[in-house]
Amino acid sequence: MYTQSMDVGPKEERKAVRSVEEAELEARFEARIDDGGFIEAKDWMPDHYRKTLVRQISQHAHSEIVGMLPEGNWVTRAPTLKRKAILLAKIQDEGGHGLYLYAAAETLGTSRDQLLDALHTGRAKYSSIFNYPTLNWADVGVIGWLVDGAAIMNQVPLCRCSYAPYARAMIRICREESFHQRQGYDALLVMMRDGTDAQRAMVQDAVNRWWWPSLMMFGPPDSESTHSAQSMRWGIKRISNDDLRQKFIDATAQQAQVLGVSLPDPLLKWNEDRQHWDFGPIDWDEFWRVVGGDGPCNRERLAERVQAWEEGAWVREAALAHARKRATRQEAA
Ligand code: BYC
């Protein structure tokens, strides 16, 4: 009821009418979410849902383009033409993923310039994993196996995210990510099976450095996750941070055995009762340090991004000038 009393002024009345309409819209929105339906860009949605999506999708987009940097470090030093072509294609794919994701975030009413400004001024987050260095060639294989492997584990459920433009982008991204993971595993398998002792040691060293940061990719424990409960209720996240992390560990512990590498966790052990692998404590202080900007490469990554943006200004200006010229010609014709 929005006209309970006769003594409300026109302003109060308008506010009350609006809130009734909003309550109805919200009820319809909630019902659609409960039925497992999808929300499209033009559908009504609560402000908090919109903000949560812009936050998550833009963080994801930033991760894709910052993720190009550690691998880019190895393009000129890839050991063979085949590995170089694969690496170039993979890095190019990450740029494409960033594009799909920025486009999905833009459908929520935030411009690409605003999103990139937040990244370049250090206000936006991107995945903690990309603040670690790539020290040897095996790091490229391990990024494919573990980092892309963790990304797929986290991202397959996002193909069913309640926000349809994000879900559609994720379907395309996941197809490509599975190739990324396989190329990494294949590169490592070749080094472990046919390589020299030095190459096998290089793989083990890379695994030792990337294992724990990969587990941190899934976010803080559920008990400390600020957004999980609401995002799960809205069907943005379908599986919790801890459950995804466990699924990832279960899959990779077996793959490590096939590869012939050991994982750097003395407590990693198959638990017959739980039907899962038990694992040791994660260093959450390290995670929050890296997320807070104080990881091994945070400053370097951000500086490189800003430099790339500034050096690309002439390309953006030329594209705009070209578009203006075409529009003028079309008007004149
Ligand atoms: N790094 O409440 P929570 C990839 C932040 S893979 C940095 O659990 P949420 C790629 C979180 O943002 C990587 N920050 O948050 C792979 C929040 O801070 P704010 C990208 C993290 O959102 C290979 C706070 O901690 N993938 O792209 O419910 C090659 C509390 O966390 C991290 C995605 O982004 C982290 N690891 O859950 C190239 C997938 N974890 O925002 C590229 C989509 C947490 O309140 N994203 N934080 O300031 C997601 O699924 C979720 O956003 C997360 C976190 C699972 C990551």
mmCIF file of all heavy atoms in Angstrom, residues 60 64 93-94 96-98 100-101 152 155 159 166-180:
data_model
loop_
_atom_site.group_PDB
_atom_site.id
_atom_site.type_symbol
_atom_site.label_atom_id
_atom_site.label_comp_id
_atom_site.label_asym_id
_atom_site.label_seq_id
_atom_site.Cartn_x
_atom_site.Cartn_y
_atom_site.Cartn_z
ATOM 1 N N HIS A 60 37.818 -9.273 -13.716
ATOM 2 C CA HIS A 60 38.149 -10.404 -14.580
ATOM 3 C C HIS A 60 38.808 -9.914 -15.882
ATOM 4 O O HIS A 60 39.828 -10.435 -16.321
ATOM 5 C CB HIS A 60 36.852 -11.179 -14.860
ATOM 6 C CG HIS A 60 37.061 -12.518 -15.471
ATOM 7 N ND1 HIS A 60 36.061 -13.460 -15.543
ATOM 8 C CD2 HIS A 60 38.142 -13.078 -16.060
ATOM 9 C CE1 HIS A 60 36.537 -14.526 -16.139
ATOM 10 N NE2 HIS A 60 37.790 -14.320 -16.461
ATOM 11 N N GLU A 64 42.679 -10.546 -17.414
ATOM 12 C CA GLU A 64 43.037 -11.076 -18.732
ATOM 13 C C GLU A 64 44.146 -10.234 -19.365
ATOM 14 O O GLU A 64 45.118 -10.774 -19.893
ATOM 15 C CB GLU A 64 41.820 -11.094 -19.664
ATOM 16 C CG GLU A 64 40.694 -12.024 -19.222
ATOM 17 C CD GLU A 64 40.987 -13.500 -19.490
ATOM 18 O OE1 GLU A 64 42.015 -13.817 -20.110
ATOM 19 O OE2 GLU A 64 40.175 -14.335 -19.037
ATOM 20 N N ASP A 93 44.775 -14.547 -27.492
ATOM 21 C CA ASP A 93 43.468 -14.974 -26.957
ATOM 22 C C ASP A 93 43.126 -14.201 -25.681
ATOM 23 O O ASP A 93 41.988 -13.802 -25.472
ATOM 24 C CB ASP A 93 43.472 -16.467 -26.575
ATOM 25 C CG ASP A 93 43.370 -17.392 -27.784
ATOM 26 O OD1 ASP A 93 43.145 -16.895 -28.895
ATOM 27 O OD2 ASP A 93 43.523 -18.618 -27.578
ATOM 28 N N GLU A 94 44.125 -14.027 -24.797
ATOM 29 C CA GLU A 94 43.849 -13.330 -23.517
ATOM 30 C C GLU A 94 43.357 -11.906 -23.810
ATOM 31 O O GLU A 94 42.439 -11.415 -23.151
ATOM 32 C CB GLU A 94 45.089 -13.215 -22.601
ATOM 33 C CG GLU A 94 46.007 -14.408 -22.485
ATOM 34 C CD GLU A 94 45.446 -15.588 -21.727
ATOM 35 O OE1 GLU A 94 44.264 -15.574 -21.405
ATOM 36 O OE2 GLU A 94 46.209 -16.542 -21.495
ATOM 37 N N GLY A 96 41.738 -11.004 -26.410
ATOM 38 C CA GLY A 96 40.355 -11.162 -26.881
ATOM 39 C C GLY A 96 39.399 -11.378 -25.716
ATOM 40 O O GLY A 96 38.302 -10.818 -25.685
ATOM 41 N N HIS A 97 39.842 -12.156 -24.726
ATOM 42 C CA HIS A 97 38.977 -12.394 -23.555
ATOM 43 C C HIS A 97 38.710 -11.084 -22.826
ATOM 44 O O HIS A 97 37.594 -10.814 -22.382
ATOM 45 C CB HIS A 97 39.633 -13.378 -22.569
ATOM 46 C CG HIS A 97 39.847 -14.742 -23.158
ATOM 47 N ND1 HIS A 97 40.531 -15.730 -22.511
ATOM 48 C CD2 HIS A 97 39.469 -15.275 -24.339
ATOM 49 C CE1 HIS A 97 40.560 -16.813 -23.271
ATOM 50 N NE2 HIS A 97 39.930 -16.547 -24.387
ATOM 51 N N GLY A 98 39.773 -10.269 -22.718
ATOM 52 C CA GLY A 98 39.599 -8.956 -22.090
ATOM 53 C C GLY A 98 38.535 -8.162 -22.844
ATOM 54 O O GLY A 98 37.646 -7.561 -22.242
ATOM 55 N N TYR A 100 35.972 -9.273 -24.760
ATOM 56 C CA TYR A 100 34.599 -9.776 -24.518
ATOM 57 C C TYR A 100 34.106 -9.274 -23.158
ATOM 58 O O TYR A 100 32.955 -8.905 -22.989
ATOM 59 C CB TYR A 100 34.490 -11.304 -24.438
ATOM 60 C CG TYR A 100 35.066 -12.135 -25.544
ATOM 61 C CD1 TYR A 100 35.501 -13.445 -25.277
ATOM 62 C CD2 TYR A 100 35.173 -11.668 -26.841
ATOM 63 C CE1 TYR A 100 36.033 -14.243 -26.271
ATOM 64 C CE2 TYR A 100 35.710 -12.473 -27.839
ATOM 65 C CZ TYR A 100 36.144 -13.749 -27.542
ATOM 66 O OH TYR A 100 36.680 -14.542 -28.513
ATOM 67 N N LEU A 101 35.034 -9.335 -22.156
ATOM 68 C CA LEU A 101 34.620 -9.024 -20.784
ATOM 69 C C LEU A 101 34.381 -7.531 -20.583
ATOM 70 O O LEU A 101 33.428 -7.142 -19.919
ATOM 71 C CB LEU A 101 35.655 -9.562 -19.789
ATOM 72 C CG LEU A 101 35.675 -11.094 -19.703
ATOM 73 C CD1 LEU A 101 36.957 -11.590 -19.044
ATOM 74 C CD2 LEU A 101 34.463 -11.616 -18.937
ATOM 75 N N ILE A 152 39.923 -22.207 -15.489
ATOM 76 C CA ILE A 152 38.807 -22.984 -16.059
ATOM 77 C C ILE A 152 37.888 -23.493 -14.949
ATOM 78 O O ILE A 152 36.668 -23.430 -15.039
ATOM 79 C CB ILE A 152 39.311 -24.207 -16.865
ATOM 80 C CG1 ILE A 152 40.141 -23.754 -18.048
ATOM 81 C CG2 ILE A 152 38.149 -25.068 -17.362
ATOM 82 C CD1 ILE A 152 40.815 -24.894 -18.771
ATOM 83 N N GLN A 155 35.843 -20.737 -13.931
ATOM 84 C CA GLN A 155 35.055 -20.042 -14.953
ATOM 85 C C GLN A 155 33.965 -20.889 -15.604
ATOM 86 O O GLN A 155 33.005 -20.330 -16.131
ATOM 87 C CB GLN A 155 36.004 -19.455 -16.007
ATOM 88 C CG GLN A 155 36.845 -18.339 -15.391
ATOM 89 C CD GLN A 155 37.945 -17.822 -16.286
ATOM 90 O OE1 GLN A 155 38.021 -18.165 -17.457
ATOM 91 N NE2 GLN A 155 38.814 -16.998 -15.749
ATOM 92 N N CYS A 159 29.683 -19.842 -16.788
ATOM 93 C CA CYS A 159 28.909 -19.958 -18.045
ATOM 94 C C CYS A 159 27.412 -20.029 -17.722
ATOM 95 O O CYS A 159 26.584 -19.864 -18.604
ATOM 96 C CB CYS A 159 29.302 -21.209 -18.829
ATOM 97 S SG CYS A 159 31.009 -21.219 -19.355
ATOM 98 N N TYR A 166 27.419 -11.823 -19.500
ATOM 99 C CA TYR A 166 28.635 -12.384 -18.894
ATOM 100 C C TYR A 166 28.687 -13.890 -19.190
ATOM 101 O O TYR A 166 29.726 -14.416 -19.593
ATOM 102 C CB TYR A 166 28.597 -12.113 -17.387
ATOM 103 C CG TYR A 166 29.860 -12.435 -16.599
ATOM 104 C CD1 TYR A 166 31.123 -12.488 -17.192
ATOM 105 C CD2 TYR A 166 29.790 -12.654 -15.224
ATOM 106 C CE1 TYR A 166 32.267 -12.750 -16.440
ATOM 107 C CE2 TYR A 166 30.933 -12.923 -14.464
ATOM 108 C CZ TYR A 166 32.165 -12.973 -15.079
ATOM 109 O OH TYR A 166 33.296 -13.243 -14.327
ATOM 110 N N ALA A 167 27.558 -14.566 -19.027
ATOM 111 C CA ALA A 167 27.519 -16.015 -19.261
ATOM 112 C C ALA A 167 27.924 -16.330 -20.713
ATOM 113 O O ALA A 167 28.715 -17.240 -20.972
ATOM 114 C CB ALA A 167 26.121 -16.552 -18.965
ATOM 115 N N ARG A 168 27.412 -15.523 -21.655
ATOM 116 C CA ARG A 168 27.743 -15.779 -23.080
ATOM 117 C C ARG A 168 29.236 -15.563 -23.340
ATOM 118 O O ARG A 168 29.865 -16.339 -24.050
ATOM 119 C CB ARG A 168 26.908 -14.854 -23.976
ATOM 120 C CG ARG A 168 25.458 -15.290 -24.111
ATOM 121 C CD ARG A 168 24.765 -14.551 -25.238
ATOM 122 N NE ARG A 168 24.467 -13.179 -24.912
ATOM 123 C CZ ARG A 168 23.317 -12.743 -24.361
ATOM 124 N NH1 ARG A 168 22.360 -13.609 -24.092
ATOM 125 N NH2 ARG A 168 23.137 -11.474 -24.102
ATOM 126 N N ALA A 169 29.789 -14.506 -22.724
ATOM 127 C CA ALA A 169 31.236 -14.257 -22.906
ATOM 128 C C ALA A 169 32.032 -15.432 -22.339
ATOM 129 O O ALA A 169 33.012 -15.884 -22.939
ATOM 130 C CB ALA A 169 31.633 -12.955 -22.207
ATOM 131 N N MET A 170 31.571 -15.962 -21.192
ATOM 132 C CA MET A 170 32.317 -17.033 -20.538
ATOM 133 C C MET A 170 32.327 -18.325 -21.352
ATOM 134 O O MET A 170 33.278 -19.093 -21.291
ATOM 135 C CB MET A 170 31.754 -17.307 -19.135
ATOM 136 C CG MET A 170 32.021 -16.228 -18.115
ATOM 137 S SD MET A 170 33.692 -15.561 -18.153
ATOM 138 C CE MET A 170 34.641 -17.049 -17.962
ATOM 139 N N ILE A 171 31.254 -18.569 -22.121
ATOM 140 C CA ILE A 171 31.210 -19.798 -22.928
ATOM 141 C C ILE A 171 32.353 -19.772 -23.955
ATOM 142 O O ILE A 171 33.107 -20.735 -24.113
ATOM 143 C CB ILE A 171 29.833 -19.954 -23.606
ATOM 144 C CG1 ILE A 171 28.766 -20.226 -22.536
ATOM 145 C CG2 ILE A 171 29.847 -21.067 -24.661
ATOM 146 C CD1 ILE A 171 27.332 -20.153 -23.020
ATOM 147 N N ARG A 172 32.514 -18.622 -24.607
ATOM 148 C CA ARG A 172 33.603 -18.506 -25.595
ATOM 149 C C ARG A 172 34.962 -18.595 -24.911
ATOM 150 O O ARG A 172 35.889 -19.252 -25.393
ATOM 151 C CB ARG A 172 33.498 -17.172 -26.322
ATOM 152 C CG ARG A 172 32.274 -17.077 -27.199
ATOM 153 C CD ARG A 172 32.239 -15.777 -27.942
ATOM 154 N NE ARG A 172 33.288 -15.698 -28.952
ATOM 155 C CZ ARG A 172 33.328 -14.764 -29.892
ATOM 156 N NH1 ARG A 172 32.376 -13.858 -29.963
ATOM 157 N NH2 ARG A 172 34.306 -14.724 -30.777
ATOM 158 N N ILE A 173 35.070 -17.935 -23.770
ATOM 159 C CA ILE A 173 36.365 -17.897 -23.085
ATOM 160 C C ILE A 173 36.779 -19.299 -22.628
ATOM 161 O O ILE A 173 37.927 -19.717 -22.805
ATOM 162 C CB ILE A 173 36.311 -16.910 -21.894
ATOM 163 C CG1 ILE A 173 36.191 -15.479 -22.435
ATOM 164 C CG2 ILE A 173 37.522 -17.053 -20.982
ATOM 165 C CD1 ILE A 173 35.982 -14.405 -21.378
ATOM 166 N N CYS A 174 35.835 -20.046 -22.078
ATOM 167 C CA CYS A 174 36.174 -21.372 -21.541
ATOM 168 C C CYS A 174 36.664 -22.321 -22.641
ATOM 169 O O CYS A 174 37.552 -23.136 -22.409
ATOM 170 C CB CYS A 174 34.989 -21.974 -20.790
ATOM 171 S SG CYS A 174 34.795 -21.210 -19.171
ATOM 172 N N ARG A 175 36.067 -22.195 -23.833
ATOM 173 C CA ARG A 175 36.530 -23.051 -24.936
ATOM 174 C C ARG A 175 38.009 -22.815 -25.199
ATOM 175 O O ARG A 175 38.787 -23.736 -25.393
ATOM 176 C CB ARG A 175 35.731 -22.741 -26.209
ATOM 177 C CG ARG A 175 34.397 -23.420 -26.183
ATOM 178 C CD ARG A 175 33.739 -23.427 -27.553
ATOM 179 N NE ARG A 175 32.337 -23.720 -27.354
ATOM 180 C CZ ARG A 175 31.337 -22.975 -27.781
ATOM 181 N NH1 ARG A 175 31.573 -21.900 -28.511
ATOM 182 N NH2 ARG A 175 30.094 -23.305 -27.541
ATOM 183 N N GLU A 176 38.393 -21.544 -25.192
ATOM 184 C CA GLU A 176 39.796 -21.235 -25.484
ATOM 185 C C GLU A 176 40.698 -21.581 -24.309
ATOM 186 O O GLU A 176 41.832 -22.042 -24.500
ATOM 187 C CB GLU A 176 39.922 -19.756 -25.868
ATOM 188 C CG GLU A 176 39.255 -19.514 -27.209
ATOM 189 C CD GLU A 176 39.198 -18.056 -27.639
ATOM 190 O OE1 GLU A 176 39.575 -17.168 -26.855
ATOM 191 O OE2 GLU A 176 38.753 -17.808 -28.763
ATOM 192 N N GLU A 177 40.190 -21.387 -23.091
ATOM 193 C CA GLU A 177 41.019 -21.683 -21.909
ATOM 194 C C GLU A 177 41.399 -23.161 -21.846
ATOM 195 O O GLU A 177 42.467 -23.506 -21.353
ATOM 196 C CB GLU A 177 40.310 -21.307 -20.596
ATOM 197 C CG GLU A 177 40.062 -19.820 -20.379
ATOM 198 C CD GLU A 177 41.304 -19.020 -20.045
ATOM 199 O OE1 GLU A 177 42.422 -19.517 -20.243
ATOM 200 O OE2 GLU A 177 41.147 -17.872 -19.600
ATOM 201 N N SER A 178 40.520 -24.028 -22.333
ATOM 202 C CA SER A 178 40.860 -25.448 -22.210
ATOM 203 C C SER A 178 42.020 -25.787 -23.144
ATOM 204 O O SER A 178 42.875 -26.600 -22.820
ATOM 205 C CB SER A 178 39.650 -26.346 -22.449
ATOM 206 O OG SER A 178 39.231 -26.222 -23.762
ATOM 207 N N PHE A 179 42.093 -25.085 -24.296
ATOM 208 C CA PHE A 179 43.272 -25.244 -25.162
ATOM 209 C C PHE A 179 44.515 -24.715 -24.436
ATOM 210 O O PHE A 179 45.583 -25.338 -24.474
ATOM 211 C CB PHE A 179 43.056 -24.508 -26.497
ATOM 212 C CG PHE A 179 44.324 -24.111 -27.181
ATOM 213 C CD1 PHE A 179 45.082 -25.053 -27.871
ATOM 214 C CD2 PHE A 179 44.797 -22.796 -27.121
ATOM 215 C CE1 PHE A 179 46.280 -24.691 -28.477
ATOM 216 C CE2 PHE A 179 45.980 -22.439 -27.718
ATOM 217 C CZ PHE A 179 46.731 -23.376 -28.395
ATOM 218 N N HIS A 180 44.364 -23.592 -23.744
ATOM 219 C CA HIS A 180 45.508 -22.998 -23.046
ATOM 220 C C HIS A 180 46.070 -23.962 -22.006
ATOM 221 O O HIS A 180 47.265 -24.115 -21.859
ATOM 222 C CB HIS A 180 45.090 -21.709 -22.327
ATOM 223 C CG HIS A 180 44.711 -20.598 -23.257
ATOM 224 N ND1 HIS A 180 44.246 -19.383 -22.832
ATOM 225 C CD2 HIS A 180 44.734 -20.526 -24.612
ATOM 226 C CE1 HIS A 180 44.002 -18.613 -23.874
ATOM 227 N NE2 HIS A 180 44.271 -19.290 -24.964
#
